[in-house]
Amino acid sequence: MTTARPGGDGAEREPTTRPRIPLICPRCGHEQQVVPGGPQRAVKVVHVGTGREACEPGDLARAPDDDGP
């Protein structure tokens, strides 16, 4: 008699990988990332290049205008 493996039917399962969808800052257009929180801090969304939540002033000057014609 064999013993059952904990956690399932014994079949090997491949880890599911999802395609990475980049977060884009709506103000400056640069890529952002989510920094996980913990018991003592909240989840944050920061710019990849700087690690800051705020946009760089120079980036805001070059941001595309959404008003259109």
Side-chain angles (χ1 to χ4, degrees):
M1 182 188 242
T2 60
T3 58
R5 295 172 111 182
D9 57 3
E12 295 283 329
R13 292 193 178 136
E14 295 289 321
T16 57
T17 57
R18 296 181 182 173
R20 184 172 173 257
I21 300 172
L23 295 174
I24 304 298
C25 178
R27 293 183 195 105
C28 68
H30 287 141
E31 188 174 355
Q32 295 180 309
Q33 67 184 5
V34 176
V35 177
Q40 299 297 324
R41 62 180 179 176
V43 174
K44 295 191 307 186
V45 177
V46 299
H47 287 79
V48 172
T50 63
R52 297 177 51 205
E53 291 182 79
C55 300
E56 293 292 316
D59 294 339
L60 292 174
R62 292 182 297 219
D65 190 11
D66 291 334
D67 292 338

